[in-house]
Amino acid sequence: MFLSSATAVAWAAEDARGRSLVQNEQPSGYDEPLRPQFHFTAKKNWLNDPNGLVSYDGEYHLFFQHNPEKPDWGPMHWGHAVSTDLVHWKELPIALYPDELGTCWSGSGIVDRANTSGLKSGDEDPILLFYTAAAGEKPASQCLAYSNDRGRTFTKYSANPILPHIVATNRDPKVIWHEPTKRWVMALFKDGNTYALFSSTDLKSWTHLHDLEFPGCGECPDLFELPVDDNPKHRKWVFVGGDGSYLLGSFDGKEFNRESGPHRADYGTNYYATQTFSNIPERDGRRIQMAWMRGGTYPGMPFNQQMNFPTELSLRTFPAGIRLCRVPVREIASLYGKEQSWKNETVTPGTNLLEGLKGELYDIQAEFDLGDVEELRLELRGQAISYRPAGGKLTCVGQTCDLKPIEGRLKLRALVDRTSLEVYADDGRAVFSFCFLPAAGEPRYELSAHGGSVKVVSFRAVELKSSWR
Ligand code: FRU
């Protein structure tokens, strides 16, 4: 196994007004053998869903379901981390603690720029968090907390809950701003496969709009609009369920009308409870998503569970219809180290182009001209990827999706960390997220062709530095 020494380096950035952000010395100790090196983990103990994702004044806030006492799920708090680039995170003190209404389950965050809530008390715009008070003596309800100091401290709203119990363990409020109707909208999971939408003008009192069914899905809703094929005049609304699958349709501020879906968003085994950031500045304009890589195991580690690497979402048109695509955010380049690359190489049976790769962490970007090959095989740290162009089947770590070659070609991108592999095929048309336990010994990489040869149009393997140092 690969062990590196603990070093602590100060890293800093400035906000739009020249104030320094996240200046504290990054603590060492994020280098245990199974500690992800560029995926977020809690310094200690359990995490699950990303919560309250919001951008404010040059900082991204990542809150997360957290049990600060044990490396297992338990009484939920909201852990908190900030970043100026979505790559380097600094864990801050816990933002929300359980109270007499219950423990703090999942939810979302927004910046109330126009102070519609009336909760602003200083020069900063208030950041509002919406969460579920659950697992208490009372049935689950939706609550509000706010910060007037750039998310450094949060106060629970005195008249909580803002939305009393409706049914079962109703939960996971996702609040968005709907510009055309100038109202706030909340998507809420009710029970089974049912979600509900509510609207509000002050973020404190909410009116029921309608219920919607999401076949096969529950928990953690998200709702946002995206242009199709980068055309600002052609837009669709996306309603996302707990496992990341999504419905496409229209939304007029009152009713979400499903036009297609559910569509699967990930073909791997470790992708759950997705959420996108609120208040990304317009000049940036990206829709950025994070997810919990549910189900990874980290024996002997002081932490448990990791987030995925943040991705940028887009809608693109394919022969089967419009689909959501997902690629890693470009900021990953801040971790780039040594690069090895190949162009126009032919891979024939019996050769391994990647014999020289020895690194532990990689961003790999490749394009193949598939020629007459029966099967193209890649092995990244022991995790097998196989593509069979004839049947149009891409298999990663035993999970398969249909993916026909485009003009005889296949593009693959892979992020390799100590305990996870994320594979993005054809610019994010199909994504696979996996956690794995690395085998002992030097990391192994292999690229081989079977039953014919493949032309490597380009293959770029960039070693990544740890985001914790
Ligand atoms: C999803 C979920 C949410 C809930 C939270 C509790 O993983 O079950 O529905 O709010 O986790 O930790």
Side-chain angles (χ1 to χ4, degrees):
M1 202 160 289
F2 210 87
L3 273 172
S4 45
S5 67
T7 45
V9 181
W11 58 281
E14 287 187 344
D15 72 0
R17 293 177 226 163
R19 294 170 305 191
S20 61
L21 305 171
V22 202
Q23 231 191 351
N24 304 352
E25 185 139 299
Q26 189 63 53
S28 60
Y30 281 86
D31 63 347
E32 303 93 335
L34 299 178
R35 174 76 77 172
Q37 294 298 290
F38 62 96
H39 288 77
F40 182 78
T41 45
K43 181 95 202 293
K44 274 200 191 135
N45 291 321
W46 173 267
L47 71 70
N48 54 292
D49 314 353
N51 292 154
L53 300 184
V54 63
S55 159
Y56 179 67
D57 204 15
E59 289 179 319
Y60 297 96
H61 292 261
L62 160 64
F63 301 88
F64 51 93
Q65 288 288 279
H66 186 38
N67 178 3
E69 299 297 331
K70 281 194 181 151
D72 308 302
W73 191 87
M76 283 294 128
H77 298 55
W78 275 34
H80 187 194
V82 284
S83 171
T84 54
D85 64 1
L86 296 160
V87 176
H88 300 85
W89 295 98
K90 161 84 184 156
E91 192 169 328
L92 295 182
I94 286 172
L96 298 180
Y97 285 85
D99 61 22
E100 63 287 352
L101 290 177
T103 56
C104 304
W105 284 19
S106 286
S108 56
I110 54 96
V111 180
D112 183 13
R113 290 202 191 290
N115 193 23
T116 57
S117 64
L119 292 168
K120 178 172 174 157
S121 64
D123 293 338
E124 301 291 342
D125 295 333
I127 299 178
L128 271 58
L129 303 181
F130 300 86
Y131 64 97
T132 302
E137 277 166 25
K138 299 194 176 138
S141 59
Q142 315 316 317
C143 293
L144 167 62
Y146 58 96
S147 167
N148 276 301
D149 59 359
R150 303 163 58 240
R152 277 4 188 217
T153 56
F154 285 87
T155 306
K156 302 239 178 90
Y157 176 53
S158 56
N160 273 339
I162 49 163
L163 196 59
H165 177 253
I166 306 165
V167 63
T169 313
N170 49 192
R171 61 186 181 274
D172 308 339
K174 170 68 177 175
V175 172
I176 64 162
W177 175 248
H178 186 253
E179 179 59 29
T181 54
K182 303 251 183 282
R183 279 173 205 273
W184 299 99
V185 172
M186 179 195 289
L188 186 75
F189 170 58
K190 283 179 78 175
D191 193 27
N193 299 143
T194 308
Y195 293 86
L197 295 179
F198 301 83
S199 77
S200 173
T201 50
D202 67 359
L203 294 160
K204 296 188 286 204
S205 59
W206 292 88
T207 308
H208 181 242
L209 295 172
H210 80 124
D211 283 3
L212 68 132
E213 291 301 306
F214 194 134
C217 209
E219 306 189 326
C220 302
D222 200 356
L223 179 62
F224 49 85
E225 195 186 27
L226 277 176
V228 179
D229 302 320
D230 296 319
N231 178 358
K233 296 202 186 102
H234 183 203
R235 305 174 75 85
K236 290 279 171 216
W237 281 84
V238 187
F239 192 104
V240 185
D243 65 2
S245 58
Y246 57 96
L247 312 173
L248 295 176
S250 62
F251 178 56
D252 59 2
K254 292 194 190 94
E255 203 173 331
F256 178 86
N257 275 306
R258 164 157 61 129
E259 290 165 6
S260 76
H263 303 293
R264 197 163 165 179
D266 196 283
Y267 294 89
T269 50
N270 306 91
Y271 175 77
Y272 197 74
T274 69
Q275 188 172 111
T276 58
F277 279 86
S278 305
N279 297 92
I280 298 276
E282 246 171 65
R283 65 178 181 280
D284 178 320
R286 287 177 294 174
R287 177 62 47 184
I288 297 169
Q289 187 191 63
M290 290 188 76
W292 167 32
M293 295 193 84
R294 177 169 78 171
T297 53
Y298 308 83
M301 293 293 107
F303 66 93
N304 194 358
Q305 304 300 296
Q306 71 181 74
M307 295 298 174
N308 76 344
F309 190 78
T311 51
E312 178 179 354
L313 307 182
S314 61
L315 289 175
R316 285 162 47 208
T317 308
F318 298 99
I322 300 167
R323 295 290 182 273
L324 195 59
C325 298
R326 208 160 90 232
V327 293
V329 293
R330 58 178 176 258
E331 286 86 344
I332 193 159
S334 67
L335 299 177
Y336 281 3
K338 197 174 94 188
E339 172 175 335
Q340 280 164 279
S341 60
W342 296 266
K343 269 204 160 86
N344 301 321
E345 296 265 352
T346 300
V347 182
T348 49
T351 59
N352 173 20
L353 196 68
L354 307 184
E355 214 150 19
L357 292 192
K358 301 280 179 234
E360 195 190 16
L361 319 170
Y362 279 108
D363 181 355
I364 289 172
Q365 295 180 62
E367 185 168 1
F368 304 101
D369 190 335
L370 298 157
D372 61 352
V373 82
E374 230 168 70
E375 186 189 5
L376 165 73
R377 252 185 247 165
L378 251 177
E379 209 182 296
L380 306 176
R381 296 203 69 168
Q383 309 308 303
I385 300 171
S386 143
Y387 187 60
R388 292 176 175 272
K393 300 264 183 228
L394 177 64
T395 302
C396 298
V397 198
Q399 304 293 315
T400 299
C401 87
D402 289 323
L403 195 75
K404 296 251 175 304
I406 299 176
E407 291 170 7
R409 291 192 173 194
L410 172 74
K411 281 198 209 171
L412 282 182
R413 175 131 185 221
L415 297 186
V416 186
D417 200 340
R418 279 189 186 161
T419 54
S420 66
L421 169 69
E422 285 148 312
V423 177
Y424 313 85
D426 284 338
D427 301 310
R429 177 159 71 119
V431 186
F432 293 74
S433 303
F434 294 104
C435 293
F436 65 87
L437 283 173
E442 215 170 55
R444 250 193 101 254
Y445 299 87
E446 191 180 321
L447 171 63
S448 56
H450 303 265
S453 61
V454 160
K455 195 164 125 210
V456 175
V457 180
S458 61
F459 195 106
R460 200 172 158 224
V462 189
E463 280 187 37
L464 297 175
K465 294 174 255 178
S466 169
S467 63
W468 299 113
R469 282 182 286 282

